[in-house]
Structures are given as structure tokens and as C-alpha cells.
């Protein structure tokens, strides 16, 4: 996800334990953040202390960087706000009112970004609840479209007129300037009209409407030594007034101004139009109620090796999970925070299935054709292990049936309230490449994304082709409407040190990183706006 998605957490508690004998407790909440890939907790910050209440609504908020593709574990400790604990983040037993563990994604993924959790940790006592509200800080997501023209610019070229273009700079806090936009060059005119262009407000003024925006006017030269015609300064606030009237700026050249007594200006630039639109983010859609539906498909072809053999990619050892189980857990545990029913349809492909040994490319792992959903990632793992015992690994490796199956479900609800993510875990030797390309191109216009994790030592060229990062995928002359496939080879994440937690966090991060963009591209092409979270 885009760095800089900041989320503000507001904290309240209800029905806290009353430890104070004379009056009610004076609670405070301390937030700890788990260091990624380790079991260590770091204090992030604390709320103010509110006197004499068991139902505090804290004013001080926590602002966290949010990454969809990472599991960001939080721990809230509630305690009494008097010393002696002021130097250490930990409450003594007599001051401890309970704690709650929660992933940031769970708060954002819950309805309207509100989550209530019981506080636990004081033996034999009911500790009340903690309420969390997550709101994305609007780090100014507006996008501006504007159009400018100029009149009577200075003539710079010996033959013919000037070839003018504009360069925009935003000013930084320290008074320096950073280039943020260049218009195209309009050839051979002193009265150019430039094409409209769009730019994020952040890029133009970093969200500070009164900050100087400097604009230089240049005459383009083929050899790159563009001639300076002049400059003018404005601000976002001033530019935005052009919504109601034309604004005309004088273009000044300080050197000429000093030299020539009669110098007036080097021409004028007029702002013809200016409009602002809000750009929606992934969080807006999730908060507006869009559900992520997660489906799993696992490769049961013979090329994986017999599950009873230690060399098999499906080998179940009492000591560690197979690559298949690890990949499933890594991705699933993050996605499940955004799926309210936590029911995941799970399929196998490429096996002979009892009772009659028919080859199937989409058999339900739980053996229930009517309802292939498993409860939670644990349920999927259980059904996967169960299937390994009952089916016969076979072949070929066909992806298209399960892609078409999920596409069929995705096609039923296209209003943006449901988005599907299909995780395919495979040893990568694909047999139905043409059909799969066709299936993906068709699916690219639907609310779905496909993640492919390749396990084992195979060469995965075919998978790289399906992941349309380099070249947009096409089938029989049709191009995919958007890139919906993300492929990663599992072996790139197997940590030499054997730190599975860390390597799986990295795997999840890379496979999930593109999902927010893919969801947004679907919403954008369909012009679907997020539903406003209803005010309370």
C-alpha cells in the first residue's frame, strides 16, 4: 500500500474494574506495537489520565502508519494513572486493569472501523471492554486538474517565436523549492495554451494551502539549455479561487527588471480552469463495507511427490508445516481480518477423488460440494490435511476451472460491496496455459485478484507471464483490462536461519502489496464510490 497511509486510533473503555476504594479509578491506556517478525513489544505511546471514571473516552489519539500487507499487532494495557509506574510502561499488579491484543487490520476491517474487545488479564475478574475507532487521516487526498495559457511572452528565439513550457515548484519548510510538475512544450508561439493536467494536492503544497507555489516560464531549446522567460508565485489557496474567476499572473524576469527602467513584464499567464476531486483509498472502501472474500486452491498433482515421502512438497512432518501450509497461513492470516464471516471456500485441483477416482480440478477440500467453505484458516488447513489422506495425486495442472469458478461468483455482485481474492498454491508446471490466460483476461473485468505462490524448485516462467507486471496479459487478441495476478516463488522467502515467522511475514507482504491498488483500479474503472460510513 502507499506509504503514508496514516491511521488515527481513538480509544475508549467501558465498565472498567473499580480498584479505587474511595472513588472511581483514574485510568490510562498504554499502546504497545509488536516488532515485525519477532515477539518483542515496544511502547508506542499512552493516552492522558482521566480522573475518576470507569468509562473513559480518551482525547489523546494514536497515529500509526498502516500497511495492508503486514500483520500489525497491537497491545493495549489499561491501568491506573497514578505513579509509581510512570517510568516503566508496565503496571504493577495493584494498578493493572486489563489488556487487549488486536491487529490494526482487524480494527480497519471491522464495521465502520469500530471494534470492541473484552479486556482480560486480571484473574477471576470481568475487566470491561476497550473500544477502538480507526480513521484514516485525510493526508489531503485531493487531486487538482488545472489548465493555463499565456499571452505576449517574451520572444527568445532568433528565428521564429518562443517554445514555452511551465515548471511548477512547491516550497519546502526550509525555504528550498522542489520541482513537482512540468507542462508540455507548445511550439512556436508567444500565446500558448497548455493541455489541462492533474496533480495531487500533496505534491503541489504538501497539504498546506498557503505555502508558496513557484512557477517558472521557459523557452524550450533542443540542446537542453532552455531560456528563462520569467516567473511568478502563487499558492494553492489562490489557485483555487479560479473556480469562480480567471486569475491572471504577471510573468517577471528579475534580471530584466533591474536593467530596464521601462520594463513592465515578460507576458502574463492566465489560469483558465481549476477543479478538485477527492481520490478514494483502499481504507475508504473497506470502511464503507466492502468485504474481501478469500478462496484457496491447492495443487494436488503428482509432480509434488507422494505426501508420505519427506521429499514431497506436501510432506506432513510432525515438526514443521509443509511449504503449502506455510504459504496458506501467511497470506490467509492477514486477509481473514477483512472477511467478516471468516468462511473460506477451499479447493484442490489435479487429483483423483473418491469414491470413483474421477480427476477433478476443483474438488472441495472439506468434501462438501454444496458448501466448500471452511471455518477460518485453521479450518482450511485441517481440510487440506484431510484431503491429502483421501485423494490420489494425479494431473494435469489445470488452473482455469478454479479461476472460472471464482470469476462466476465474483460476477454475481459487481457493485463494489464484494471483492474476491483467489490464492493458488502450485508447484508451477501448468498444463492449460491457453485456457488460463483466457480465464484471467475474462476475470480482469471482475472484482477479483489472483495470488499465485509457486512452491518447489521448478522454473516458473509461465507464472511470470501470467503476472502482467512487465507485459499486459492477452488472450486471442483480447488484453486484460487490469493486472489482477501477483506471482511469487516461495523459495525466495525461505530464510536460511530458519526463522519462519519472519520469512512468512515477508512473503505475505509481497503477495498482498498489490491488492489495494488492484481493488482501487476495479472501483475506478467502474466509477464506484465508497459507501459513506453512516454517521452514528
Amino acid at each position: 500500500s502507499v506509504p503514508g497511509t496514516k491511521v488515527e486510533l481513538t480509544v475508549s473503555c467501558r465498565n472498567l474494574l473499580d480498584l479505587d476504594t474511595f472513588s472511581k479509578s483514574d485510568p490510562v491506556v498504554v499502546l504497545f506495537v509488536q516488532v515485525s517478525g519477532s515477539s518483542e513489544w515496544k511502547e508506542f505511546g499512552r493516552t492522558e489520565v482521566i480522573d475518576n471514571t470507569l468509562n473513559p473516552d480518551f482525547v489523546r489519539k494514536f497515529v500509526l502508519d498502516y500497511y495492508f500487507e503486514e500483520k500489525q499487532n497491537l497491545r493495549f494495557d489499561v491501568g491506573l494513572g497514578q505513579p509509581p509506574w510512570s517510568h516503566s510502561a508496565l503496571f504493577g499488579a495493584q494498578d493493572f486493569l486489563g489488556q487487549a491484543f488486536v491487529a490494526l487490520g482487524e480494527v480497519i476491517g471491522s464495521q465502520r472501523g469500530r471494534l470492541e474487545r473484552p479486556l482480560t488479564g486480571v484473574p477471576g475478574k470481568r475487566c470491561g471492554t476497550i473500544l477502538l475507532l480507526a480513521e484514516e487521516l485525510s493526508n489531503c487526498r485531493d487531486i487538482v486538474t488545472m489548465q493555463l495559457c499565456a499571452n505576449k511572452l517574451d520572444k527568445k528565439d532568433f528565428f521564429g517565436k518562443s517554445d514555452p513550457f511551465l515548471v511548477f515548484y512547491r516550497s519546502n519548510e526550509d525555504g528550498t523549492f522542489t520541482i513537482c510538475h512540468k507542462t508540455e512544450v507548445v511550439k512556436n508561439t508567444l500565446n500558448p495554451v497548455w493541455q489541462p493536467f492533474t496533480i495531487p494536492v500533496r505534491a503541489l503544497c504538501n497539504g498546506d494551502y498557503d505555502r508558496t507555489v513557484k512557477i517558472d516560464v521557459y523557452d524550450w531549446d533542443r540542446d537542453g539549455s532552455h531560456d528563462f522567460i520569467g516567473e511568478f508565485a502563487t499558492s494553492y489557496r489562490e489557485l483555487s479561487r479560479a473556480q469562480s474567476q480567471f486569475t491572471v499572473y504577471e510573468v517577471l524576469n528579475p534580471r530584466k527588471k533591474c536593467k530596464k527602467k521601462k520594463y513592465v513584464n515578460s507576458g502574463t499567464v492566465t489560469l483558465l480552469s481549476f477543479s478538485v476531486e477527492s481520490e478514494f483509498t483502499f481504507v475508504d472502501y473497506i470502511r464503507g463495507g466492502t468485504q474481501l472474500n478469500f478462496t484457496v486452491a491447492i495443487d494436488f498433482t503428482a509432480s509434488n511427490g507422494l505426501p508420505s515421502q519427506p521429499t514431497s512438497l506436501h510432506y506432513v512432518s510432525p515438526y514443521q508445516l509443509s511449504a503449502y501450509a506455510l504459504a496458506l497461513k501467511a497470506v490467509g492470516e492477514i486477509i481473514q481480518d477483512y472477511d467478516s464471516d471468516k468462511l473460506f471456500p477451499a479447493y484442490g485441483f489435479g487429483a483423483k477423488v473418491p469414491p470413483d477416482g474421477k480427476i477433478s480440478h476443483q474438488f472441495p477440500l472439506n468434501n462438501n460440494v454444496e458448501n466448500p467453505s471452511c471455518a477460518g484458516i485453521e479450518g482450511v488447513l485441517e481440510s487440506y490435511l484431510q484431503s491429502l489422506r483421501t485423494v490420489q495425486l494425479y494431473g494435469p495442472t489445470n488452473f482455469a476451472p478454479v479461476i472460472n469458478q471464482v470469476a462466476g461468483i465474483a460476477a454475481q455482485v459487481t457493485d463494489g460491496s464484494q471483492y474476491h481474492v483467489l490464492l493458488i498454491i502450485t508447484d508451477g508446471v501448468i498444463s492449460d496455459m491457453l485456457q488460463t490466460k483466457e480465464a484471467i483476461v475474462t476475470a480482469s473485468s471482475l472484482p477479483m485478484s489472483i495470488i499465485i505462490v509457486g512452491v518447489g524448485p521448478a522454473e516458473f516462467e509461465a507464472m511470470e507471464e501470467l503476472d502482467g507486471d512487465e507485459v499486459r496479459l492477452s488472450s486471442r487478441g483480447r488484453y486484460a483490462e487490469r493486472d489482477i495476478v501477483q506471482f511469487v516463488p516461495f523459495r525466495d522467502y525461505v530464510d536460511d536461519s530458519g526463522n519462519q515467522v519472519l520469512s512468512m511475514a515477508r512473503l505475505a507482504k509481497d503477495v498482498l502489496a498489490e491488492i489495494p491498488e488492484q481493488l482501487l483500479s476495479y472501483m475506478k474503472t467502474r466509477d464506484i464510490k465508497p459507501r459513506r460510513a453512516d454517521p452514528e
Side-chain angles (χ1 to χ4, degrees):
S1 61
V2 190
T5 303
K6 290 205 179 287
V7 168
E8 179 184 76
L9 286 183
T10 304
V11 183
S12 304
C13 299
R14 293 292 174 266
N15 305 316
L16 290 174
L17 264 179
D18 197 354
L19 295 181
D20 219 324
T21 32
F22 302 108
S23 62
K24 296 204 170 55
S25 302
D26 304 338
V28 62
V29 174
V30 185
L31 166 59
F32 295 84
V33 175
Q34 191 169 26
V35 182
S36 188
S38 83
S39 52
E40 183 194 344
W41 292 93
K42 273 207 167 108
E43 181 181 342
F44 181 84
R46 40 183 92 172
T47 62
E48 75 279 18
V49 176
I50 298 186
D51 289 348
N52 202 11
T53 175
L54 302 179
N55 299 296
D57 294 313
F58 296 99
V59 178
R60 192 176 300 157
K61 301 182 188 314
F62 299 116
V63 176
L64 297 141
D65 286 312
Y66 161 67
Y67 301 96
F68 165 71
E69 65 277 10
E70 288 179 30
K71 190 89 174 165
Q72 293 174 271
N73 290 324
L74 310 177
R75 180 182 111 208
F76 295 87
D77 285 13
V78 187
L80 290 184
Q82 60 242 38
W85 65 272
S86 53
H87 304 295
S88 102
L90 302 168
F91 298 104
Q94 70 282 6
D95 296 323
F96 181 60
L97 298 174
Q99 65 186 173
F101 294 85
V102 56
L104 183 54
E106 289 179 272
V107 189
I108 289 170
S110 49
Q111 225 177 348
R112 296 210 290 272
R114 288 169 188 279
L115 184 68
E116 185 166 6
R117 274 286 161 89
L119 290 165
T120 58
V122 181
K125 293 269 175 39
R126 287 177 110 159
C127 302
T129 61
I130 187 164
L131 291 141
L132 302 169
L133 167 67
E135 289 190 281
E136 184 174 11
L137 289 181
S138 78
N139 194 347
C140 196
R141 300 194 307 262
D142 295 347
I143 294 207
V144 167
T145 304
M146 59 176 123
Q147 183 175 23
L148 300 102
C149 70
N151 290 85
K152 297 187 183 155
L153 293 174
D154 283 354
K155 176 173 171 327
K156 288 288 184 186
D157 289 354
F158 197 63
F159 307 105
K161 306 188 169 84
S162 297
D163 305 321
F165 67 97
L166 301 176
V167 183
F168 285 68
Y169 303 88
R170 70 160 181 265
S171 59
N172 302 319
E173 310 242 318
D174 59 3
T176 57
F177 285 93
T178 304
I179 183 166
C180 59
H181 182 74
K182 258 188 197 147
T183 65
E184 79 282 10
V185 176
V186 183
K187 289 290 183 68
N188 199 22
T189 174
L190 302 178
N191 303 303
V193 178
W194 288 282
Q195 293 290 323
F197 68 90
T198 43
I199 182 170
V201 172
R202 274 204 303 258
L204 197 59
C205 64
N206 213 354
D208 176 352
Y209 291 176
D210 296 304
R211 204 176 273 196
T212 304
V213 175
K214 184 165 85 86
I215 298 154
D216 287 351
V217 188
Y218 282 97
D219 164 38
W220 179 85
D221 278 331
R222 179 165 280 111
D223 64 5
S225 63
H226 312 307
D227 299 319
F228 177 68
I229 296 176
E231 63 183 13
F232 62 98
T234 178
S235 66
Y236 175 84
R237 199 178 295 285
E238 198 172 287
L239 287 166
S240 64
R241 295 203 182 107
Q243 284 164 302
S244 47
Q245 81 243 20
F246 288 155
T247 313
V248 181
Y249 296 98
E250 277 195 288
V251 176
L252 300 176
N253 183 331
R255 294 215 346 245
K256 275 193 167 179
K257 204 172 172 181
C258 295
K259 282 189 188 156
K260 295 188 179 172
K261 288 243 163 55
K262 288 186 178 163
Y263 177 77
V264 182
N265 62 35
S266 297
T268 59
V269 167
T270 304
L271 180 57
L272 294 173
S273 66
F274 182 97
S275 60
V276 191
E277 274 187 2
S278 233
E279 187 187 32
F280 297 116
T281 66
F282 178 71
V283 176
D284 292 332
Y285 287 98
I286 297 296
R287 282 196 49 147
T290 297
Q291 283 294 319
L292 295 191
N293 298 292
F294 183 46
T295 303
V296 182
I298 291 179
D299 183 337
F300 279 79
T301 54
S303 50
N304 284 287
L306 277 172
S308 55
Q309 302 295 323
T311 49
S312 167
L313 295 168
H314 281 303
Y315 178 62
V316 183
S317 126
Y319 305 108
Q320 65 176 37
L321 293 169
S322 70
Y324 277 90
L326 274 174
L328 169 67
K329 238 170 111 77
V331 178
E333 285 184 346
I334 288 181
I335 283 197
Q336 68 179 357
D337 288 344
Y338 301 87
D339 188 321
S340 61
D341 64 7
K342 311 267 185 281
L343 293 174
F344 309 121
Y347 299 96
F349 57 91
K352 285 185 166 177
V353 184
D356 48 8
K358 267 211 189 85
I359 294 170
S360 170
H361 294 293
Q362 59 207 76
F363 61 89
L365 296 185
N366 66 3
N367 214 4
N368 180 345
V369 180
E370 296 304 304
N371 179 11
S373 293
C374 306
I377 295 305
E378 290 310 315
V380 178
L381 276 168
E382 223 167 278
S383 300
Y384 156 65
L385 295 173
Q386 188 56 41
S387 288
L388 280 176
R389 295 190 201 104
T390 54
V391 306
Q392 181 193 346
L393 301 195
Y394 207 70
T397 309
N398 291 354
F399 283 12
V402 77
I403 293 175
N404 288 329
Q405 168 133 9
V406 174
I409 299 166
Q412 291 168 13
V413 183
T414 55
D415 63 0
S417 61
Q418 305 290 333
Y419 193 88
H420 294 263
V421 178
L422 167 61
L423 170 64
I424 299 176
I425 314 178
T426 175
D427 69 354
V429 193
I430 183 169
S431 320
D432 66 338
M433 189 65 177
L434 292 174
Q435 291 87 334
T436 294
K437 281 164 114 173
E438 179 72 10
I440 292 171
V441 169
T442 303
S444 70
S445 62
L446 294 170
M448 68 180 279
S449 291
I450 300 169
I451 294 169
I452 303 174
V453 177
V455 292
E459 286 305 319
F460 290 115
E461 284 103 345
M463 302 295 123
E464 296 288 2
E465 186 186 343
L466 298 177
D467 182 342
D469 282 352
E470 302 300 321
V471 181
R472 183 57 65 90
L473 187 70
S474 64
S475 167
R476 301 191 307 193
R478 277 197 313 151
Y479 278 84
E481 185 181 305
R482 27 190 268 286
D483 171 21
I484 62 166
V485 178
Q486 169 71 345
F487 165 73
V488 298
F490 185 82
R491 58 169 172 252
D492 291 1
Y493 297 89
V494 180
D495 195 318
D496 298 338
S497 68
N499 180 345
Q500 275 186 351
V501 176
L502 195 59
S503 49
M504 289 309 95
R506 287 211 315 270
L507 172 82
K509 188 173 167 152
D510 285 0
V511 295
L512 293 170
E514 289 186 20
I515 300 256
E517 280 310 309
Q518 290 175 1
L519 179 141
L520 286 174
S521 74
Y522 173 79
M523 301 296 186
K524 218 171 193 163
T525 52
R526 295 289 173 288
D527 198 29
I528 297 170
K529 309 247 183 296
R531 296 197 207 141
R532 288 271 162 247
D534 312 325
E536 288 301 289

